[in-house]
């Protein structure tokens, strides 16, 4: 029996492996694994396993039209391959190593795209418009995205995309919440170290400090009855945030007065610091009352 299995191992793999993997036939794959390991054919199984993963890759990564759903498809594929590893292949180290190598290879086939699309996927998850997902749903999904992050070679490029999107979420009030943003940054820190997330953590601290300052400034204006317009300033540490060219802008006098009041308030608390305004990163809400008719 052993000699028969050993003799026909290649034919068995050719005839059945891809079919069973495509159909997610865990019992059949488990039987195949048991047969081949019993005759020392684990390397043959490893070869077909790696080839299968790369074949699936061609159907996903190399088709630009699928970019809009690529990260979701990759997460689903990774989950499916992990289930095969655990349920059919008994988490065999040789096959697990082949899975890691093959997955990393095809994830990075299109160079910059994995970093860009993964950052964009996280951005969509973290935006306030995503009302259907609970905090637990988001956290679970981000745990899976972090697994995908491990396979991305250009992590500096990912950080650049992630920081750009985080900036827009924080400054334009588009984030689900700071409390949701902070765990994601912590996950990245665990994966790649403090040096990698230092700027991201600095951005979140800036938002906390700015929120505290904004509350005190508003209270001061109300106490002194100097509040003209509803004015809020966010203090950004230049080293943490993306660099933006100043935008020439004619600011209404009411806004200038509010800026001057804030500068006076800020200098009393932080003497020696100089503020540079970035109106191009701000927002303005106009309320208009029209006459009837």
């Amino acid at each position: 029996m052993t000699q028969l299995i050993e003799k026909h191992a290649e034919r068995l793999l050719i005839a059945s492996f891809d079919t069973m993997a495509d159909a997610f036939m865990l019992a059949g794959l488990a039987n195949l694994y048991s047969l081949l390991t019993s005759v020392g054919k684990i390397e043959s199984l490893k070869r077909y396993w790696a080839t299968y993963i790369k074949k699936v890759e061609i159907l996903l990564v190399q088709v630009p039209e699928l970019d809009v759903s690529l990260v979701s498809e990759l997460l689903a594929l990774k989950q499916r391959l992990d289930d095969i590893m655990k349920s059919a292949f008994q988490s065999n180290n040789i096959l697990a190593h082949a899975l890691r190598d093959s997955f990393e290879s095809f994830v990075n086939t299109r160079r910059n795209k994995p970093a860009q699309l993964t950052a964009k996927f996280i951005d969509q998850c973290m935006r306030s418009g995503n009302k259907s997902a609970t905090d637990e749903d988001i956290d679970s999904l981000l745990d899976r995205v972090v697994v995908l992050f491990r396979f991305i070679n250009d992590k500096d490029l990912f950080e650049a995309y992630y920081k750009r999107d985080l900036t827009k979420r924080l400054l334009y009030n588009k984030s689900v919440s700071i409390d949701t943003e902070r765990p994601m940054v912590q996950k990245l820190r665990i994966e790649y170290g403090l040096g990698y997330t230092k700027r991201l953590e600095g951005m979140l601290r800036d938002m906390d400090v700015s929120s505290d300052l904004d509350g005190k400034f508003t209270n001061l204006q109300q106490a002194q009855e100097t509040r003209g317009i509803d004015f809020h300033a966010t203090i950004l540490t230049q080293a943490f945030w993306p660099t933006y060219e100043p935008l020439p802008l004619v600011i209404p006098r009411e806004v200038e007065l509010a800026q001057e009041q804030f500068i006076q308030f800020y200098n009393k608390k932080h003497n020696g610091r100089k503020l540079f305004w970035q109106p191009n990163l701000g927002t303005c809400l106009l309320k208009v009352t029209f006459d009837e008719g």
Side-chain angles (χ1 to χ4, degrees), residues 21 47 70 104 115 134 140 162 173 181 221 227 232 242 291:
R47 188 172 68 255
L70 179 60
E104 179 178 358
T134 65
S140 176
Y162 186 90
N173 197 29
E181 298 284 359
Q221 285 185 308
R227 188 174 179 84
H232 304 277
D291 293 334

Side-chain angles (χ1 to χ4, degrees), residues 61-197:
V61 178
Q62 296 186 2
V63 183
E65 291 77 12
L66 298 178
D67 282 358
V68 66
S69 62
L70 179 60
V71 174
S72 296
E73 294 289 345
L74 286 176
L75 292 176
L77 173 61
K78 183 62 169 60
Q79 184 64 58
R80 183 163 152 267
L81 296 175
D82 285 345
D83 288 343
I84 292 175
M85 276 298 311
K86 181 179 179 181
S87 300
F89 296 160
Q90 300 179 21
S91 300
N92 180 278
N93 287 334
I94 294 175
L95 299 181
H97 192 272
L99 170 57
R100 287 192 297 271
D101 286 351
S102 300
F103 205 84
E104 179 178 358
S105 175
F106 81 68
V107 162
N108 293 284
T109 299
R110 291 174 59 199
R111 298 186 63 185
N112 299 340
K113 274 298 177 182
Q116 179 185 4
L117 294 176
T118 303
K120 180 55 64 179
F121 181 84
I122 295 174
D123 182 56
Q124 293 169 350
C125 292
M126 303 290 260
R127 282 185 169 265
S128 54
N130 186 17
K131 299 182 184 299
S132 60
T134 65
D135 289 345
E136 291 76 15
D137 292 335
I138 294 174
D139 190 63
S140 176
L141 182 59
L142 293 179
D143 279 336
R144 295 171 59 202
V145 175
V146 168
V147 173
L148 186 59
F149 166 79
R150 295 171 188 163
F151 294 99
I152 295 175
N153 287 338
D154 199 339
K155 290 182 170 56
D156 288 338
L157 184 62
F158 170 86
E159 192 259 354
Y161 282 121
Y162 186 90
K163 185 167 69 171
R164 182 197 63 184
D165 293 336
L166 178 61
T167 296
K168 294 178 181 178
R169 293 198 300 273
L170 295 179
L171 296 185
Y172 300 150
N173 197 29
K174 296 296 184 181
S175 174
V176 173
S177 72
I178 286 287
D179 291 335
T180 304
E181 298 284 359
R182 194 169 285 112
M184 181 60 202
V185 174
Q186 291 173 348
K187 295 178 195 297
L188 294 175
R189 177 178 178 176
I190 291 171
E191 288 295 322
Y192 218 59
L194 174 60
Y196 186 74
T197 58

